[in-house]
Amino acid sequence: MELFVDSASLDEISHALDTGVLDGVTTNPSKMKEAVELVKKQGKKVSLTAYIKQLCRMCKGLPVSLEVIGASYEDLVREGLLLHRMFNPVAKNVVVKIPVNPQFDTEKHRVHDGIKAIRSLSKKGVRVNCTLVFTPEQALLAAKAGAQFVSPFCGRLDDYIRSSHGMKFSKGEYYPAEGKKRWAKQWNDQGVVSGIDLVAQCVEIFDVHGIKTKVLAASIRNVRQLREAAVVGAHCATMSLETLEAALVHPKTEQGMKKFSDDVVPEYASLFKK
Ligand code: G3P
């Protein structure tokens, strides 16, 4: 399973790279906003072109997802090609992120513009990560259009299911893969009971039909969700540096480490001084 960090912070990405087990980086306009605000807070001027080039350079050999901002077929393709032209020459690792359906204003845009843009960009040899996936059908269509990755948003689907049932929760709070039952009724969104169930159904569809597109579990908010994404066969998962590091923490590991360290006798310590 490939592990990605979901960040546009050069500092966080460099920490994640330092683990030696990072397989890629995902960004989006919200992550770019955080990065820009941080640079401004440090009193520095922001040149996003130079910044993103540096990001791509430091991730040489690993895919870096960069997202478009448009909402029509023409804009999605134009911006996708522009991102690819500007940043792919740096380290040949750009993957363009395209929303599965950019429609948020029924007057202006068509529901299938995302899929059409994925098809056009893929045909031109641009690797695509299809984002904002909330149903297995969206994932299937994106795969058919040629996306290399599809990104089901686990945490946000859990938010949708629990908030539509009036449940109170905090952002990082765990929601079980098997979903919740109340009064014998299974909470679900069109038959999907949780974010992890969404990932599982995408993986199953791709397996059954021999589809090569990778399921990239996104909006992973905590370590148990990461584990469950791995259990159901997600090909990749993207998470914050905080979640990635939290995956290494257990109180008994810490306790055991302290005990071993306390038990080192000088005879044993001297072995390591050669
Ligand atoms: O990878 C998508 C991610 O950035 C969304 O995360 O936690 O805001 O739902 P979140």
Side-chain angles (χ1 to χ4, degrees):
M1 182 181 181
E2 294 174 8
L3 299 179
F4 290 26
V5 70
D6 194 28
S7 176
S9 150
L10 298 183
D11 200 41
E12 284 183 2
I13 294 168
S14 131
H15 275 89
L17 283 168
D18 198 41
T19 61
V21 297
L22 194 73
D23 297 297
V25 172
T26 52
T27 70
N28 57 39
S30 311
K31 298 289 168 199
M32 287 295 171
K33 181 180 173 202
E34 284 168 21
V36 166
E37 283 171 357
L38 191 74
V39 176
K40 281 188 184 161
K41 226 165 123 187
Q42 293 162 349
K44 296 184 206 149
K45 266 189 102 182
V46 194
S47 155
L48 258 195
T49 305
Y51 187 94
I52 296 173
K53 282 187 178 172
Q54 192 181 342
L55 195 163
C56 291
R57 204 172 300 117
M58 67 198 265
C59 296
K60 194 172 167 46
L62 307 178
V64 172
S65 288
L66 301 173
E67 188 157 343
V68 294
I69 58 174
S72 66
Y73 165 74
E74 291 75 14
D75 284 347
L76 296 175
V77 172
R78 185 182 55 77
E79 291 171 9
L81 290 174
L82 184 137
L83 285 173
H84 194 259
R85 197 169 54 242
M86 277 178 90
F87 301 112
N88 198 53
V90 176
K92 306 259 178 290
N93 56 353
V94 168
V95 176
V96 172
K97 243 174 149 183
I98 301 284
V100 68
N101 167 10
Q103 183 181 53
F104 59 91
D105 174 347
T106 44
E107 296 291 307
K108 285 188 194 148
H109 309 300
R110 291 187 301 269
V111 76
H112 61 267
D113 276 16
I115 292 297
K116 214 170 121 183
I118 293 169
R119 183 120 190 94
S120 297
L121 289 166
S122 303
K123 274 187 163 175
K124 290 184 199 301
V126 175
R127 292 191 289 163
V128 173
N129 174 356
C130 174
T131 191
L132 289 170
V133 168
F134 286 89
T135 72
E137 314 71 87
Q138 288 178 328
L140 175 62
L141 287 165
K144 277 186 73 82
Q148 183 176 23
F149 300 95
V150 292
S151 293
F153 272 40
C154 300
R156 288 195 195 180
L157 184 64
D158 290 343
D159 294 350
Y160 182 65
I161 294 173
R162 51 191 157 174
S163 57
S164 55
H165 287 86
M167 187 178 161
K168 298 261 180 287
F169 57 90
S170 59
K171 192 176 174 190
E173 203 173 306
Y174 173 70
Y175 187 75
E178 67 277 15
K180 278 205 183 292
K181 272 192 183 160
R182 283 281 196 279
W183 305 287
K185 237 184 139 186
Q186 174 80 54
W187 291 1
N188 70 85
D189 176 39
Q190 299 179 74
V192 179
V193 302
S194 69
I196 293 298
D197 185 36
L198 169 62
V199 172
Q201 294 195 36
C202 293
V203 169
E204 193 178 343
I205 290 172
F206 288 8
D207 278 355
V208 167
H209 296 283
I211 293 168
K212 297 278 175 275
T213 301
K214 291 180 180 176
V215 177
L216 197 172
S219 182
I220 292 285
R221 306 265 182 79
N222 55 63
V223 173
R224 276 184 78 177
Q225 214 174 24
L226 167 61
R227 179 201 312 161
E228 287 168 350
V231 168
V232 301
H235 306 105
C236 335
T238 189
M239 70 217 81
S240 64
L241 175 65
E242 197 187 347
T243 303
L244 187 65
E245 290 188 334
L248 289 167
V249 176
H250 191 277
K252 290 301 285 180
T253 305
E254 201 177 322
Q255 223 179 71
M257 191 57 210
K258 171 141 185 30
K259 171 85 176 112
F260 289 153
S261 156
D262 288 348
D263 284 348
V264 175
V265 290
E267 294 80 351
Y268 192 51
S270 68
L271 281 180
F272 302 93
K273 290 196 178 124
K274 290 183 178 126

